[in-house]
Amino acid sequence: MKLSRPVSWFLLAFGVWSWFIWVSFVKNLWNDASGLAFDAAGDPTAYFWVHLLLAVTSFLLGTAVGIVGLRGLRALRREKNPAPATSPAPPGPTP
């Protein structure tokens, strides 16, 4: 499948955006003082674990989507500037 330049940029930007948003969210979750993420004893709650799982999943999906976008851009660059053709190696002596 061939991706267009705008689609490739969008996928790459989405991957970067996903990391930015979810890293910020995890920092806020970790520093939560409202009692949602940690109980009175300081132990993580179900809210914490569910949202941490969402963040990890989003990190993985954001990475995968970003890699697809990056590979699309690299393929377009190679298509625009193809590598110079190399001459085949001369045949070696046959025993």
Side-chain angles (χ1 to χ4, degrees):
M1 177 201 291
K2 183 177 173 183
L3 299 175
S4 68
R5 186 172 311 281
V7 170
S8 295
W9 275 111
F10 174 78
L11 293 175
L12 181 60
F14 181 85
V16 170
W17 176 256
S18 179
W19 268 88
F20 175 75
I21 291 299
W22 285 100
V23 165
S24 300
F25 181 81
V26 169
K27 285 180 185 179
N28 292 335
L29 183 66
W30 192 263
N31 296 323
D32 178 54
S34 68
L36 283 174
F38 298 97
D39 61 16
D43 296 325
T45 62
Y47 177 89
F48 174 84
W49 291 115
V50 166
H51 285 83
L52 186 63
L53 179 64
L54 287 171
V56 169
T57 302
S58 292
F59 289 144
L60 294 174
L61 292 174
T63 300
V65 167
I67 288 172
V68 169
L70 182 62
R71 290 181 68 185
L73 288 172
R74 290 174 67 192
L76 287 168
R77 186 183 320 154
R78 278 194 307 268
E79 184 179 286
K80 184 178 179 184
N81 302 321
T86 58
S87 60
T94 55

